[in-house]
């Protein structure tokens, strides 16, 4: 059965409703048609926006734990590029930066031990139940953890990450650091267990997050669209 063509009077709008110079071989498109096309595209744009994870990797910054939660739930996909405003959110220190700072008197890093209460001689962490690999004491100086520790297991890695994160929180302050000083202590004391976004996270999640922060590629692969 052949479908008859619509009458020409139904195909075109009034002269005042036509956008000159825009259309196909069949003639110009009306403003109503353009509006309808725009509305049809809107749900697609909205769908893409729900698939985005905002993250910045300006110099000296990384992704906060809450953003990482979305990043993981989203299949490790990210659509945001490096920030260009120059404003860094979630600042952190690389291990090389920590190695440099820990031998100076900056923030008293040089004299601090892993344990004891917060102050001149301590970082406020509790003593680990086991010693770090290659360490002769259960209360090493921050200097030894940062410069010497070669992680051999999850406990070693967690200790190194917490020490580096602690230094960043002290150096930049909780408001600008990618993680707070209190969170560093909580993570260490509870062996990687803490709460992010109202959800309790375990050691595996915590190490995955820190690996993404301090890994060779950090969040670059995500931000480059890989």
């Amino acid at each position: 059965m052949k479908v008859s063509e619509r009458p020409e009077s139904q195909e075109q709008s009034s002269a005042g409703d036509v956008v000159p110079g825009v259309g196909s071989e069949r003639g110009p498109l009306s403003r109503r048609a353009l509006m309808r096309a725009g509305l049809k595209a809107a749900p697609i744009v909205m769908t893409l926006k729900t698939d985005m994870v905002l993250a910045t990797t300006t110099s000296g910054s990384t992704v906060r734990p809450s953003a990482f939660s979305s990043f993981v739930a989203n299949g490790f996909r990210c659509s945001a590029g490096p920030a260009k405003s120059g404003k860094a959110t979630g600042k952190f220190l690389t291990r090389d930066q920590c190695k440099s700072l820990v031998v100076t008197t900056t923030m008293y890093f040089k004299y601090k031990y892993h344990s004891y209460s917060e102050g001149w001689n301590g970082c406020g962490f509790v003593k680990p139940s086991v010693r770090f690999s290659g360490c002769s004491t259960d209360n090493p100086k921050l200097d030894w953890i940062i410069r010497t520790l070669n992680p051999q297991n999850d406990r070693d890695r967690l200790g190194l990450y917490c020490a580096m994160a602690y230094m960043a929180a002290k150096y930049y302050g909780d408001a600008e650091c990618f993680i707070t000083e209190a969170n560093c202590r909580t993570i260490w004391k509870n062996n990687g267990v803490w709460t992010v976004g109202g959800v309790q996270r375990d050691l595996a999640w915590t190490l995955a997050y820190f690996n993404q922060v301090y890994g060779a590629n950090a969040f670059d692969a995500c931000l480059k669209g890989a």
Side-chain angles (χ1 to χ4, degrees):
M1 177 178 178
K2 182 178 180 181
V3 179
S4 59
E5 295 182 357
R6 295 172 60 191
E8 184 175 345
S9 60
Q10 295 181 18
E11 187 70 23
Q12 296 181 351
S13 302
S14 61
D17 199 29
V18 172
V19 180
V22 180
S24 63
E25 294 179 356
R26 300 184 62 185
L29 292 176
S30 69
R31 287 191 177 89
R32 290 193 185 95
L34 291 174
M35 289 178 65
R36 284 196 295 270
L39 289 174
K40 289 180 179 179
I44 298 176
V45 174
M46 291 174 66
T47 300
L48 291 175
K49 284 185 178 296
T50 60
D51 198 39
M52 293 181 178
V53 178
L54 299 180
T56 60
T57 57
T58 53
S59 178
S61 66
T62 189
V63 178
R64 291 179 182 271
S66 56
F68 181 69
S69 298
S70 299
F71 181 61
V72 173
N74 199 37
F76 292 91
R77 289 173 294 173
C78 180
S79 59
K84 297 180 180 180
S85 64
K87 182 180 180 180
T89 57
K91 296 179 180 178
F92 79 123
L93 295 170
T94 65
R95 190 170 186 181
D96 284 343
Q97 289 173 319
C98 288
K99 286 180 179 180
S100 176
L101 289 171
V102 83
V103 296
T104 70
T105 56
T106 304
M107 307 298 291
Y108 311 122
F109 293 144
K110 181 177 180 179
Y111 303 103
K112 287 194 173 183
Y113 286 83
H114 185 247
S115 187
Y116 303 117
S117 60
E118 170 65 25
W120 180 275
N121 291 327
C123 302
F125 291 94
V126 297
K127 293 181 179 180
S129 58
V130 294
R131 294 182 180 180
F132 293 121
S133 299
C135 188
S136 60
T137 175
D138 60 358
N139 184 32
K141 283 188 176 181
L142 189 61
D143 176 285
W144 186 91
I145 296 174
I146 297 297
R147 300 178 67 200
T148 309
L149 178 60
N150 180 23
Q152 302 296 311
N153 51 55
D154 287 348
R155 185 71 170 177
D156 288 348
R157 279 186 282 276
L158 185 65
L160 176 60
Y161 287 150
C162 285
M164 291 170 63
Y166 165 81
M167 286 186 65
K170 294 295 290 184
Y171 189 79
Y172 291 115
D174 286 349
E176 294 188 34
C177 186
F178 78 101
I179 198 169
T180 68
E181 184 180 335
N183 280 336
C184 296
R185 292 198 179 100
T186 297
I187 291 170
W188 177 250
K189 290 178 181 178
N190 296 326
N191 195 34
V193 177
W194 59 314
T195 300
V196 177
V199 179
Q200 189 177 76
R201 310 293 176 174
D202 58 14
L203 176 61
W205 188 96
T206 302
L207 289 177
Y209 171 61
F210 278 133
N211 284 335
Q212 195 71 39
V213 172
Y214 294 113
N217 295 320
F219 283 90
D220 291 346
C222 157
L223 297 176
K224 291 178 181 177

